Amino acid sequence: MPTAIVRPVSPAIQQCELTHLERQPIDFSRAQSQHASYCTTLAANGYQVVELSVAEDLADSVFVEDTALVLPELAIITRPGAASRRPELAAMAAVLQNYRQLAWLSEPATLDGGDVVVLGKTIWIGLSSRSNQAAVEQVQAVTKAFGYRVQGVELGQCLHLKTAVCAVDSNTVLLNPQWVEPQVFAEYQVIEVDPREEFAANVVQLHYGRLLYDQAYSATAERLRQRGYQLILVDNSELTKAEGALTCCSVLIHETEG
Ligand code: GLY
């Protein structure tokens, strides 16, 4: 059974890190309710949901994706680019060690899991304000024995690589050409987001091929449906204000895919 590791929304969410967004009020109870629906949806789609304990003072701790990269062969505990987020790692490592052998990144590497897109044996890492070339080199060093190639990607004005591009199947990416050069992903099929929906590239690939998708992006959703993808829609409006998207809220552990 696939597993989804999640963490409740912190009561400190209003003090979250923001890089490209203006701060605006977040309705905490609505954020909790939307996050609960996200978890219920994962469970309804076959995931065993493992919830880390709430971190009262770690504002961004709901965004567990940034703390780890899980591959079939090992898990890498990241070193988030925002120092405020590094205390989030211990709880993730304590659980992940039950599923995978762990590797850790070290200074000067910084890496947010949101900057990682895995397609087969290629690991793409966004060279963002959070993740750097030293991380590319360290991830390459610990994954080389398993046949991975790690490639840095230049990013536009968005937080993470997964803000700009996500895989929708093993050979296709959904991408915003304002933030990442489509030519970088020329070896794959490329679907572009609707230009009116700049945040629409973020999508969770579920274990059996369906896509968990943010209901806010209806025009891009239609593009995906026209290509034959089946979508499961959820509301993420409150955590969007915290510069977090759907992939940010879980670390998925699949038996055969990263
Ligand atoms: N608020 C999400 C982040 O900046 O890490």
Side-chain angles (χ1 to χ4, degrees), residues 72-93:
E73 301 88 351
L74 83 166
I76 299 170
I77 303 299
T78 65
R79 187 166 178 272
S84 68
R85 302 204 52 192
R86 292 185 196 146
E88 297 174 25
L89 301 181
M92 178 58 72

Side-chain angles (χ1 to χ4, degrees), residues 99-226:
Y99 297 87
R100 294 287 189 276
Q101 181 182 336
L102 300 186
W104 294 75
L105 300 187
S106 59
E107 200 175 359
T110 62
L111 180 70
D112 283 9
D115 272 318
V116 182
V117 172
V118 180
L119 278 144
K121 286 288 187 182
T122 304
I123 300 173
W124 302 92
I125 294 183
L127 299 171
S128 67
S129 61
R130 301 287 178 85
S131 303
N132 62 17
Q133 183 61 29
V136 172
E137 289 158 18
Q138 290 188 21
V139 173
Q140 181 67 82
V142 294
T143 60
K144 192 170 180 185
F146 305 112
Y148 288 92
R149 173 179 73 112
V150 185
Q151 188 71 46
V153 183
E154 295 295 335
L155 271 191
Q157 295 300 305
C158 64
L159 181 58
H160 286 136
L161 182 61
K162 278 199 188 115
T163 325
V165 57
C166 282
V168 290
D169 63 38
S170 58
N171 192 41
T172 311
V173 295
L174 176 64
L175 169 155
N176 181 340
Q178 287 177 36
W179 289 334
V180 69
E181 176 56 56
Q183 196 56 33
V184 171
F185 293 93
E187 68 197 89
Y188 308 105
Q189 300 288 322
V190 172
I191 303 171
E192 294 191 3
V193 301
D194 186 284
R196 295 164 294 180
E197 297 176 341
E198 59 182 350
F199 289 100
N202 190 270
V203 54
V204 180
Q205 251 187 291
L206 299 176
H207 65 102
Y208 61 107
R210 287 192 193 166
L211 303 176
L212 184 63
Y213 197 60
D214 189 327
Q215 67 182 32
Y217 310 123
S218 55
T220 304
E222 195 48 39
R223 287 187 184 199
L224 290 166
R225 287 195 194 94
Q226 283 173 6

